[in-house]
Amino acid sequence: MTDIRSGLFVAREAELGEIASLTAAAARGRGGAMLVLGDAGIGKSTLIGEVASRFDGWQVLRAGGVEFESELPYSALHQLCAPVLDHRAGLPVPQRSALDAVFGLHAGVRPTPMLVGLAVLGLLSAAGRRRPVFCAVDDVQWIDAGSRQVLAFVAARVAVERVAMVFAARDVASVSELGRLPALTLTGLSDSEALTLLRYRAPFGHEAAIVQRILAEAAGNPLALVEFARDAGPFGLPGDAGHRAVEHRFVSRFLRLPAPTRSVLALAAAEPTGDLVLLRRAMAIQGLDAVDLTAAEDSGLLVTGPRVHFRHPLARSAVYLSTGAEARRQAHAALAAGTDVDVDPDRRAWHQANAITGPDEETAAELERSAGRAQRRGGLAAVAAFLERAARLTPGRSRQARRLLAAARARLGSGAPSAARELVDEAERLQPDAVDRRAARLLRATIDYHVARSIPATIALIEAADGMGPDEVRETYLEAFASLMFSVDEPGRLRRLALHIRERVPQRQPPRPVDLLLQALVEQHLRPVDEAMPLMRRTVDAFRDHARTSDADPWWMERACVLSVDLGDSDAMEEIADRQVELARAQGAYAILPHALRFQAAARTIVGRFADAQVCIIEARAVDEAAGTSNLVGSDLMLAAWSGDVDRFREIREKLRGWVGVNFTALHYAEGVLCNGSGDHDSALDALLLVRDQHRRGAYAVTAFHHELVEAAAFVGRPEEAKESADWIGDVARVNPNAWTTGAHLLACALLDPGLGAQDHYRAAISRFAGSRMRVHYARARLLYGQWLRRVGRRAEARVELRAAHELLSTIGARGFAGRAARELDAIGEPTLADDADPFAGLSARELLVARKVASGAGTKEVAALLFVSPRTIDAHLRNLYRKLGITSRRQLRELLR
């Protein structure tokens, strides 16, 4: 360790070597991050400081957390990034806007931690192109939640950067976001190392017995060794040298100082930014001068320079906590008075709040305004902290309860449901009025719903919503209804809820798209399809119109996309799905982006764009990985079924078996597609009849199951099982005629026609699909017609249809259906050539995504933003895939993917 007086570094050579390996690799473009753990005083800061002092030609960025202030939004990030903010000019506009917003440079769209993380990664990457970058973040357990989340995001993505990151914390539990980083745990010094440190720290020496006592009590802790040596008198250690002994010594030293010196130290402890100008202003307000500041430095507790800091965080906490309550309030009052309200209104409000004890509406209102500013910067934890403090200072129970409930909503939004629930409890203990009691009950139910996503939690949410005015809870009902659509529950539950919503929620005039969506879903479950479809049509059209506006909101568009599928409107389905992804990306709405991407994947699967669907799924996984959200597998399941990927289908099915409360109609529908594709129509019919049974009992089922059921029933000779589905297909085609619905109806008629009249239906169906985007349905229609022609002995004509079907299905990637076409061709003596080996089979999922995005014309920065990595990472992916494909340019890549 380094002796503070002499600069000598003692021990920790092995630990220095580990960090040196990290930084040496970073200098060569193989960046990384490390977590340094250890008790207070064990030497984490000293070790990191020694590493930084040995650099030559590096950009060193430092930040640190401070106890008692962990909620001011992105404060640690600002410390770290301030020296390299000039690099933000080269960032993509959304990332630059996010940084400008969180650092208060410009107002803009509220940024998300993921977008801010990507921007910070871009800053560090740009800085690393000039020279290697070393980021040191001390006392991570005390930095604000937003900064910690962003830094964890960045630390996971510097593998190809000239960036090394070292974080110091007392234990992993306090910094769970960084728990996956390799950890270096510091332990106590050996006796010989401790003696060396003591020799330089106490050169005049102590008696051997006292030295042994110091060694025993310090237990190898360097800070304890230094402090015990400093305080040891001729008769040994003063006082008790047990638990928290170092803090006690800091307290004792502080309390022995003159009153003016203690006042300076109290001000410094209450102002953790280390702003020397502000400290001097506050000192002047309290009648203190430069002599008092010098005395504070001479105490050995405070260090001044460009910034003011305490020798150790324990010294700061010791000073702050041992300062009397009234003296602390006076310190905060002086700091509030010295803070420029135009420059830092939030910090001024925070100091003012800590300077008063009783209710103060003026200060509470200012804190509420600070919460609004924090929300615009994306710091929901800070929003909650400001609102909680505002509530404590609010006169009047009713307004206090409302601010507590607002703080609870912010806590829930920041991912802290337990803290949110405690705030709801506190609000309810204030005995609020009836309106706030209902709001508290709804918020409690919302918290439980977001935690459990279970059927009981959904029912409780509905019951709580019943106590509110209909206009206040339309979207709550919509969320609950949409949740139950895809949950296993008792028969009739969904229908009863639909009736309840219909009775309780009047039609809104004029209706918003979301109002129409709730009404359409309700009526879809209560009316025959031909009666429900006009409202479904109106809803989808409203969402299409809304999606085209410049200020469109992407929320709920995926439900409109599902309605488009049920309508059989492929154009609306693709348009809404594509626009939702576009809006979610542009607005940084990463909470819904992975869902939007998966609905986009489903839409592309339905029309036969399987390769594009796979790209959507890979990108959705990247978002899930970046955000730490769950990886939903519905679109993966659907693509596996249509692709005929039996192994992947079984893998997903096994994952789903352990899920509780899931509506398995989607699984059975996908199994029906898979089995129809392979020609196992008996198994297909078994699976699809399960879907029909669940649908009859009131569960939601994607209506495309009717098409699969008709084919399966026709091929196994059980046409009576297909009648209900055929009637449904006919009703949809009659009410909403288009290429998809009419083609499906004609195909169903062909499959169920036992005579030669089927030919006209097949030809008409093929003609309808040929003029649409439904390539896979067109290919399947030709396959079915070819099979029919072979059965009636018209082999030459069958050969034409089957050959065309096989080529198109192979091109699309529908291997199951293509194999079925190949077997039919074999049966008439027309063998098919083996498929060429897929040149992209050796690429990883990420490399495949990069290849397709780059081939489509996307730039490196654009692809990096999609995958939440730096441009250097994309360049590394490109180098790898070029090597695997045996190419050297983007032009060659585009040619391969044609």
Side-chain angles (χ1 to χ4, degrees):
M1 303 308 301
T2 302
D3 171 59
I4 294 169
R5 185 184 60 195
S6 68
L8 176 74
F9 194 80
V10 176
R12 305 293 192 209
E13 290 302 324
E15 291 86 347
L16 277 171
E18 290 199 41
I19 300 179
S21 296
L22 174 75
T23 57
R28 296 191 300 271
R30 298 201 303 274
M34 174 183 291
L35 185 59
V36 178
L37 302 173
D39 295 335
I42 203 66
K44 302 182 295 294
S45 303
T46 304
L47 177 68
I48 294 172
E50 177 66 17
V51 171
S53 72
R54 298 184 180 187
F55 286 133
D56 183 20
W58 282 62
Q59 171 87 61
V60 177
L61 305 176
R62 302 200 69 156
V66 180
E67 196 175 7
F68 316 122
E69 183 189 88
S70 60
E71 295 297 356
L72 288 178
Y74 296 115
S75 55
L77 206 60
H78 204 170
Q79 289 180 54
L80 190 76
C81 295
V84 292
L85 273 181
D86 56 317
H87 290 292
R88 75 183 191 281
L91 296 176
V93 172
Q95 296 175 30
R96 186 168 66 248
S97 298
L99 279 185
D100 288 349
V102 300
F103 293 151
L105 301 174
H106 297 288
V109 177
R110 186 174 76 190
T112 65
M114 287 171 61
L115 188 57
V116 177
L118 198 55
V120 172
L121 179 62
L123 278 184
L124 298 181
S125 179
R129 284 194 285 274
R130 289 186 184 174
R131 50 181 171 160
V133 178
F134 180 70
C135 299
V137 186
D138 212 349
D139 290 311
V140 188
Q141 70 275 6
W142 289 332
I143 70 174
D144 62 278
S147 292
R148 197 160 57 238
Q149 188 175 357
V150 166
L151 291 172
F153 177 96
V154 174
R157 289 165 174 78
V158 294
V160 297
E161 307 297 336
R162 298 175 74 202
V163 176
M165 306 182 77
V166 177
F167 302 91
R170 294 188 181 176
D171 54 63
V172 175
S174 62
V175 289
S176 57
E177 300 94 333
L178 298 167
R180 293 185 178 182
L181 295 182
L184 174 63
T185 301
L186 302 188
T187 57
L189 301 178
S190 68
D191 283 352
S192 62
E193 292 166 340
L195 280 169
T196 302
L197 181 59
L198 278 178
R199 218 172 20 245
Y200 285 96
R201 190 62 186 92
F204 299 108
H206 291 292
E207 293 182 5
I210 295 175
V211 169
Q212 290 304 313
R213 173 87 187 277
I214 292 172
L215 292 176
E217 295 293 352
N221 185 295
L223 182 63
L225 283 164
V226 170
E227 290 304 311
F228 292 171
R230 178 190 183 107
D231 288 346
F235 302 105
L237 292 172
D240 183 15
H243 180 62
R244 298 181 67 86
V246 176
E247 292 99 319
H248 293 163
R249 273 155 180 73
F250 284 138
V251 170
S252 297
R253 194 185 310 169
F254 171 69
L255 294 177
R256 291 196 300 267
L257 296 171
T261 309
R262 292 201 305 271
S263 295
V264 173
L265 290 168
L267 285 168
E271 175 37 52
T273 63
D275 186 336
L276 184 56
V277 174
L278 175 57
L279 178 62
R280 290 183 184 279
R281 278 200 216 113
M283 286 171 55
I285 290 169
Q286 288 198 335
L288 303 167
D289 57 26
V291 173
D292 301 311
L293 179 59
T294 301
E297 291 181 89
D298 291 342
S299 72
L301 296 172
L302 193 69
V303 179
T304 61
R307 314 294 292 179
V308 178
H309 65 275
F310 279 82
R311 218 184 104 219
H312 193 276
L314 289 178
R316 180 179 184 273
S317 61
V319 168
Y320 191 79
L321 294 174
S322 57
T323 299
E326 181 58 30
R328 278 202 303 269
R329 286 192 290 272
Q330 290 172 1
H332 283 293
L335 289 163
T339 301
D340 189 332
V341 68
D342 295 324
V343 174
D344 200 344
D346 300 336
R347 194 171 296 279
R348 183 179 185 279
W350 193 257
H351 281 307
Q352 185 61 36
N354 282 285
I356 57 181
T357 55
D360 186 313
E361 177 56 30
E362 183 179 349
T363 302
E366 185 56 45
L367 287 167
E368 198 167 37
R369 287 189 285 273
S370 291
R373 287 188 289 268
Q375 186 156 21
R376 289 191 290 275
R377 295 196 296 271
L380 285 175
V383 172
F386 281 124
L387 289 172
E388 285 176 46
R389 188 67 178 133
R392 307 279 186 270
L393 299 176
T394 300
R397 287 173 172 265
S398 179
R399 182 175 290 179
Q400 187 178 14
R402 285 180 197 141
R403 281 174 172 156
L404 285 169
L405 292 176
R409 292 185 190 97
R411 285 292 181 204
L412 178 61
S414 70
S418 297
R421 194 178 286 112
E422 290 174 6
L423 289 168
V424 174
D425 292 342
E426 188 175 348
E428 289 179 326
R429 286 195 293 271
L430 293 172
Q431 298 179 336
D433 59 26
V435 172
D436 290 331
R437 283 199 303 274
R438 290 193 294 269
R441 184 186 177 205
L442 177 61
L443 182 51
R444 183 184 299 282
T446 303
I447 293 167
D448 293 341
Y449 170 77
H450 281 281
V451 169
R453 296 281 179 176
S454 64
I455 292 172
T458 306
I459 301 305
L461 181 65
I462 295 164
E463 291 172 351
D466 288 345
M468 306 292 288
D471 286 337
E472 298 176 85
V473 289
R474 287 175 187 270
E475 292 188 41
T476 301
Y477 280 131
L478 177 56
E479 183 162 5
F481 191 85
S483 176
L484 285 180
M485 282 172 62
F486 297 97
S487 301
V488 173
D489 197 18
E490 62 184 69
R493 166 91 71 185
L494 201 58
R495 180 177 175 80
R496 290 197 301 275
L497 177 57
L499 286 167
H500 177 72
I501 293 173
R502 179 199 270 178
E503 293 169 1
R504 188 160 195 283
V505 181
Q507 295 184 18
R508 185 171 181 162
Q509 296 300 332
R512 303 167 300 168
V514 71
D515 300 321
L516 291 171
L517 178 61
L518 176 61
Q519 189 181 354
L521 291 176
V522 165
E523 297 305 318
Q524 184 184 15
H525 285 80
L526 295 178
R527 293 180 181 273
V529 62
D530 55 338
E531 295 179 21
M533 288 195 77
L535 180 57
M536 294 166 62
R537 174 79 271 161
R538 183 185 174 196
T539 301
V540 168
D541 290 342
F543 268 91
R544 288 181 85 174
D545 292 341
H546 172 67
R548 292 165 183 161
T549 62
S550 58
D551 59 346
D553 184 348
W555 288 93
W556 299 116
M557 283 187 181
E558 75 278 2
R559 299 300 173 192
C561 185
V562 173
L563 275 186
S564 301
V565 176
D566 292 339
L567 278 172
D569 188 339
S570 60
D571 291 342
M573 172 190 70
E574 288 199 277
E575 181 181 337
I576 294 172
D578 291 349
R579 181 61 173 154
Q580 185 182 31
V581 169
E582 179 185 348
L583 289 168
R585 283 188 186 134
Q587 297 176 17
Y590 297 118
I592 62 170
L593 179 56
H595 303 294
L597 283 163
R598 287 188 169 89
F599 275 93
Q600 187 181 50
R604 290 178 172 179
T605 300
I606 287 171
V607 299
R609 296 170 59 188
F610 292 1
D612 292 338
Q614 182 64 31
V615 169
C616 294
I617 291 170
I618 296 169
E619 187 182 341
R621 290 177 192 154
V623 182
D624 282 330
E625 179 185 324
T629 51
S630 60
N631 182 5
L632 302 178
V633 295
S635 57
D636 302 56
L637 185 77
M638 188 172 176
L639 180 59
W642 278 92
S643 300
D645 191 339
V646 176
D647 292 339
R648 177 64 178 152
F649 181 87
R650 288 173 177 167
E651 177 188 340
I652 299 169
R653 184 175 59 189
E654 287 305 310
K655 285 183 181 178
L656 289 172
R657 289 193 191 281
W659 290 18
V660 177
V662 176
N663 180 347
F664 283 101
T665 56
L667 173 61
H668 298 315
Y669 159 70
E671 188 171 5
V673 173
L674 181 74
C675 293
N676 273 342
S678 66
D680 183 2
H681 293 102
D682 288 290
S683 297
L685 185 59
D686 290 342
L688 294 162
L689 289 176
L690 290 174
V691 179
R692 188 182 68 182
D693 181 56
Q694 288 291 319
H695 189 53
R696 285 174 172 175
R697 296 170 65 196
Y700 173 77
V702 60
T703 51
F705 88 88
H706 291 293
H707 309 159
E708 302 298 331
L709 194 152
V710 169
E711 178 178 323
F715 269 83
V716 300
R718 295 166 62 184
E720 70 282 358
E721 298 286 8
K723 183 178 184 310
E724 181 180 325
S725 289
D727 289 345
W728 186 94
I729 294 169
D731 288 340
V732 172
R734 177 173 51 81
V735 177
N736 189 48
N738 58 43
W740 186 4
T741 59
T742 306
H745 175 54
L746 290 165
L747 197 58
C749 292
L751 285 164
L752 297 176
D753 189 330
L756 294 179
Q759 173 174 281
D760 292 338
H761 294 307
Y762 277 123
R763 287 179 173 175
I766 290 168
S767 177
R768 290 295 283 159
F769 283 131
S772 76
R773 304 164 68 91
M774 311 296 288
R775 289 198 310 159
V776 70
H777 295 271
Y778 168 70
R780 282 185 68 178
R782 297 197 72 171
L783 167 61
L784 290 168
Y785 183 36
Q787 288 183 281
W788 182 84
L789 288 168
R790 188 182 73 80
R791 285 200 305 273
V792 298
R794 295 159 60 179
R795 295 164 64 91
E797 294 171 86
R799 183 178 293 109
V800 173
E801 297 301 320
L802 292 170
R803 172 63 65 189
H806 179 263
E807 289 178 358
L808 183 52
L809 289 165
S810 298
T811 300
I812 290 170
R815 295 189 297 274
F817 290 102
R820 186 169 137 195
R823 291 191 294 276
E824 291 287 329
L825 285 166
D826 285 342
I828 57 175
E830 180 78 8
T832 56
L833 298 175
D835 291 338
D836 294 333
D838 182 1
F840 298 97
L843 301 186
S844 69
R846 287 290 180 92
E847 289 166 349
L848 179 61
L849 174 58
V850 170
R852 293 196 176 277
K853 291 292 184 182
V854 168
S856 69
T860 299
K861 287 185 178 180
E862 181 183 349
V863 181
L866 294 179
L867 283 176
F868 302 96
V869 295
S870 72
R872 285 175 63 93
T873 300
I874 299 303
D875 289 339
H877 282 313
L878 281 171
R879 288 193 297 271
N880 287 337
L881 69 89
Y882 283 175
R883 175 178 51 79
K884 291 178 180 179
L885 296 174
I887 60 176
T888 58
S889 70
R890 297 186 181 215
R891 180 184 57 78
Q892 291 174 302
L893 182 60
R894 284 193 292 272
E895 290 173 355
L896 270 178
L897 281 165
R898 280 178 185 169

